[in-house]
Amino acid sequence: MNKYWQIPESKNQIIIKNWNIFYGQSELEINDSNEIPKYFDIISLDKIEKVENTEKTNYLKLFFNQYSTTKLYLSNERIKSEIVSHIKEYKTEYKYKKDLPTSIEFAKGHYILIVLFSLFFFCSLYFAIGISNGENFPLKNMRVGLLHYCLYVAKIGILNLIIVYTLDYLIKMGLIF
């Protein structure tokens, strides 16, 4: 099974032929009738123990043993996945796994928002309790900022404030879980 890839916007070429991966730069289009240039690097598929394809990187990492690796630089995600699938066809004894981020990594932004909204809630609750006790917090002399926002929200009252923030927390927890 022979397969050829020309990397877009570059001269890089990758060829899988005769249990080998050939890669290098050439301006000529290589097909079955053409000979592979002698200066192309060669990787034997028999020696590859592990292939790492991470979506965030622009390369495939090929492991030969724990000390020896090679990187094939590819910016095209489609070509990376095609190369991995062709290596899978050759190396049927491979075990494949897909590493996914943990649930904490997925929900990291939500956790940050919950902490920030908790700070806003407690600040607004402090102002709302002060307003209900008769304290006067003038908005005119205060600089516009986060405390100004908290004081403005506190004017809706303690009960309404608790209802609004409780609904907000329920929505955020629904997004996380």
Side-chain angles (χ1 to χ4, degrees):
M1 175 187 280
N2 298 333
K3 188 68 178 164
Y4 163 81
W5 293 275
Q6 172 70 44
I7 310 305
E9 301 176 8
S10 72
K11 298 177 186 176
N12 294 339
Q13 297 178 357
I14 297 176
I15 302 141
I16 296 181
K17 184 176 183 178
N18 301 332
W19 288 86
N20 292 314
I21 298 175
F22 299 91
Y23 64 98
Q25 292 186 346
S26 176
E27 293 184 13
L28 300 173
E29 184 173 326
I30 299 171
N31 53 31
D32 288 336
S33 61
N34 293 352
E35 190 173 312
I36 298 171
K38 302 246 186 257
Y39 56 84
F40 271 32
D41 292 324
I42 302 171
I43 300 171
S44 175
L45 288 173
D46 291 335
K47 295 181 180 179
I48 297 173
E49 293 181 4
K50 179 181 165 186
V51 177
E52 187 176 284
N53 181 13
T54 308
E55 292 179 4
K56 296 177 183 175
T57 61
N58 60 347
Y59 57 84
L60 279 176
K61 197 169 190 180
L62 307 174
F63 293 88
F64 304 109
N65 56 37
Q66 67 185 36
Y67 304 111
S68 179
T69 63
T70 298
K71 292 180 181 177
L72 296 178
Y73 288 92
L74 306 159
S75 58
N76 191 323
E77 194 65 38
R78 180 187 56 81
I79 293 176
K80 279 174 43 178
S81 61
E82 283 181 15
I83 291 173
V84 170
S85 67
H86 277 281
I87 292 174
K88 285 180 188 178
E89 289 178 20
Y90 278 112
K91 304 283 279 186
T92 56
E93 73 273 5
Y94 275 165
K95 294 181 181 174
Y96 306 102
K97 71 176 185 173
K98 189 171 187 177
D99 291 331
L100 296 174
T102 63
S103 60
I104 292 174
E105 291 172 351
F106 271 125
K108 188 178 181 181
H110 294 291
Y111 292 136
I112 292 170
L113 281 176
I114 286 173
V115 169
L116 287 176
F117 276 97
S118 297
L119 292 173
F120 288 141
F121 170 70
F122 290 119
C123 183
S124 298
L125 187 62
Y126 172 78
F127 284 137
I129 292 171
I131 290 171
S132 69
N133 289 336
E135 289 186 40
N136 187 13
F137 299 104
L139 286 173
K140 294 178 184 173
N141 297 336
M142 189 181 289
R143 287 180 34 197
V144 176
L146 296 178
L147 289 177
H148 191 267
Y149 167 77
C150 292
L151 184 57
Y152 185 76
V153 171
K155 297 226 181 229
I156 66 172
I158 296 173
L159 183 61
N160 291 336
L161 183 69
I162 291 173
I163 291 171
V164 167
Y165 277 100
T166 302
L167 290 175
D168 183 53
Y169 283 124
L170 291 176
I171 290 170
K172 283 185 182 50
M173 288 307 198
L175 291 175
I176 291 175
F177 301 109

